[in-house]
Amino acid sequence: MIYLDNAATTLKKPPQVIEAVVEAMRNLGNSSRGTHAVSLKASRAVYDVRRKIAEFFGCPRLDHTVFTCNATEALNIAIFGTFTPHTEIITTDLEHNSVLRPLYALEAEHDVKLKFVPANSRGQIDYVEFERLITSNTRAIICTHASNVTGNSLDIAQIGRIAHKHGLLFIVDASQTAGDLPLNLEQDNIDILCFTGHKGLMGPQGTGGLCFGNGVEIRPWKRGGSGVQSYLHEQPSDYPVRLEAGTLNGHGLAGLGAALEFIESVGLGEIGRREEALTRRFYEGVSRIDGVTVYGDFEKYPRAAIVSINIEGYDSSEVSFILSENYGIATRPGAHCAPRMHKALRTAERGTVRFSFSYFTEDCEIERALEAVEQMAQER
């Protein structure tokens, strides 16, 4: 199979990631749940990954690096843990439902007013709109670093400057860019960065987290066992246990730690250059095929390694099915959990077919995918 669905999850992992998970399953106990050898080994392993993540994203404090099971949980913690009732939150049309649905819940249940920076038919936004939407009642700006439909990236450092100029909290969804594009809390003016481990970071599913800066306070989203202060009725107030109720995924985090070591050994810049080359090659090839529509802005790089298309005469699900059944190519059709983005692109009815690449995608797989799309376009 030619796997071109890396925006959903990376299938090809560095070998050391798999080895680390297997080793952890053999030897790790439950972190912070005992003083025996395997529990302490798990605690040390979690601490080591916490340190690596903090360094990777420029988080100023280790205890401000919190582990979750994915970016969705991280975003829920960030959004529900910082909102103020009867205020306003600004976001964009590019967002995934992991941002939208928590915000819609705040709108319905806590009288939070939502304002959206609109996207045009190429998935682009105008940064002036952020300033225009801000009022004295605005509490936060929440946005993605890159669209999971078009791959268009946002200038988060610029948005962060706008947020901080007005004293607003700035929360970033880095699901499509963590491990692919540089991210740094201080340099990019980010207050809370939410990430997942199983995409660009090349780690196991069930891993993710959030990093946050000094002066940021987040209320617990869930409550339960922490391994410490067991007689308290409330969740302990100290970070990270304030936000890490329950057993951590030590096995998955061991794999994530190995993935971070791999990324460091290759270099984030090299990974980005490789993925950009693959994206450019596919875009340039597919955009020349008659009957194919490509969505997004490919004049601006860096961007996520995503190209979404439609073929005239086909529904997106039909294209993805034929690619899988007849050509052995894995893609993602439909709405991609990003309804406002598809409305902006005018693809709400048919969706799009998303091709997404990783460091391990081969040049010959790009060529084979282009051949398949061209054959389908010609046959229809």
Side-chain angles (χ1 to χ4, degrees), residues 160-172:
R161 284 192 295 271
I162 294 170
H164 291 172
K165 172 184 171 183
H166 294 274
L168 308 179
L169 190 71
F170 183 39
I171 302 173
V172 173

Side-chain angles (χ1 to χ4, degrees), residues 81-145:
T82 59
F83 83 93
T84 302
H86 317 298
T87 58
E88 299 172 349
I89 294 176
I90 296 172
T91 186
T92 80
D93 278 347
L94 280 66
E95 307 310 314
H96 188 277
N97 274 335
S98 295
V99 170
L100 294 176
R101 284 176 173 165
L103 290 181
Y104 290 145
L106 293 186
E107 183 180 47
E109 299 166 13
H110 298 282
D111 191 30
V112 172
K113 183 177 181 179
L114 305 182
K115 294 182 175 181
F116 290 87
V117 174
N120 64 20
S121 60
R122 296 183 66 193
Q124 301 162 312
I125 67 167
D126 185 347
Y127 295 94
V128 173
E129 289 294 305
F130 286 100
E131 293 268 14
R132 187 184 66 81
L133 292 174
I134 293 172
T135 71
S136 60
N137 205 33
T138 305
R139 162 67 176 160
I141 294 176
I142 303 173
C143 71
T144 187
H145 188 191

Side-chain angles (χ1 to χ4, degrees), residues 7-69:
T9 192
T10 48
L11 181 66
K12 298 179 180 178
K13 311 287 188 183
Q16 52 266 54
V17 172
I18 299 168
E19 294 166 5
V21 173
V22 173
E23 180 68 14
M25 293 186 74
R26 290 192 178 115
N27 295 291
L28 292 191
N30 196 333
S31 174
S32 301
R33 303 304 197 273
T35 57
H36 52 76
V38 293
S39 176
L40 291 174
K41 190 171 184 177
S43 295
R44 294 185 187 105
V46 169
Y47 177 87
D48 187 53
V49 183
R50 202 184 300 279
R51 176 185 56 79
K52 290 174 182 174
I53 285 289
E55 292 175 356
F56 192 78
F57 292 124
C59 187
R61 292 172 47 174
L62 286 186
D63 64 342
H64 282 197
T65 296
V66 173
F67 291 122
T68 65
C69 64

Side-chain angles (χ1 to χ4, degrees), residues 197-209:
H198 68 100
K199 298 185 182 185
L201 287 173
M202 305 188 209
Q205 294 177 4
T207 61

Side-chain angles (χ1 to χ4, degrees), residues 36-304:
H36 52 76
V38 293
S39 176
L40 291 174
K41 190 171 184 177
S43 295
R44 294 185 187 105
V46 169
Y47 177 87
D48 187 53
V49 183
R50 202 184 300 279
R51 176 185 56 79
K52 290 174 182 174
I53 285 289
E55 292 175 356
F56 192 78
F57 292 124
C59 187
R61 292 172 47 174
L62 286 186
D63 64 342
H64 282 197
T65 296
V66 173
F67 291 122
T68 65
C69 64
N70 48 44
T72 298
E73 185 176 68
L75 286 160
N76 274 266
I77 290 171
I79 292 169
F80 286 110
T82 59
F83 83 93
T84 302
H86 317 298
T87 58
E88 299 172 349
I89 294 176
I90 296 172
T91 186
T92 80
D93 278 347
L94 280 66
E95 307 310 314
H96 188 277
N97 274 335
S98 295
V99 170
L100 294 176
R101 284 176 173 165
L103 290 181
Y104 290 145
L106 293 186
E107 183 180 47
E109 299 166 13
H110 298 282
D111 191 30
V112 172
K113 183 177 181 179
L114 305 182
K115 294 182 175 181
F116 290 87
V117 174
N120 64 20
S121 60
R122 296 183 66 193
Q124 301 162 312
I125 67 167
D126 185 347
Y127 295 94
V128 173
E129 289 294 305
F130 286 100
E131 293 268 14
R132 187 184 66 81
L133 292 174
I134 293 172
T135 71
S136 60
N137 205 33
T138 305
R139 162 67 176 160
I141 294 176
I142 303 173
C143 71
T144 187
H145 188 191
S147 166
N148 73 316
V149 179
T150 64
N152 292 1
S153 65
L154 299 185
D155 186 341
I156 53 172
Q158 180 179 350
I159 300 170
R161 284 192 295 271
I162 294 170
H164 291 172
K165 172 184 171 183
H166 294 274
L168 308 179
L169 190 71
F170 183 39
I171 302 173
V172 173
D173 174 8
S175 298
Q176 293 299 331
T177 55
D180 299 305
L181 301 180
L183 283 160
N184 184 282
L185 267 71
E186 182 176 358
Q187 295 173 12
D188 294 321
N189 306 299
I190 300 170
D191 292 306
I192 307 177
L193 176 72
C194 301
F195 65 91
T196 194
H198 68 100
K199 298 185 182 185
L201 287 173
M202 305 188 209
Q205 294 177 4
T207 61
L210 57 100
C211 296
F212 55 101
N214 291 318
V216 176
E217 290 295 327
I218 305 174
R219 298 182 296 273
W221 180 62
K222 58 180 180 177
R223 292 158 177 82
S226 58
V228 297
Q229 298 177 292
S230 295
Y231 291 98
L232 288 180
H233 288 197
E234 63 274 6
Q235 190 69 15
S237 61
D238 293 338
Y239 297 112
V241 294
R242 182 196 291 196
L243 306 177
E244 287 184 345
T247 293
L248 292 173
N249 179 7
H251 305 145
L253 291 175
L256 181 60
L260 289 165
E261 290 176 2
F262 173 82
I263 291 171
E264 184 178 358
S265 69
V266 175
L268 192 61
E270 177 58 31
I271 291 172
R273 283 188 289 273
R274 171 66 181 160
E275 293 182 350
E276 180 177 325
L278 293 166
T279 304
R280 285 183 184 273
R281 174 67 193 100
F282 185 79
Y283 166 72
E284 290 168 359
V286 79
S287 61
R288 291 195 292 264
I289 300 173
D290 289 340
V292 171
T293 301
V294 184
Y295 302 92
D297 177 7
F298 290 86
E299 296 174 3
K300 179 186 174 184
Y301 286 84
R303 68 190 324 281

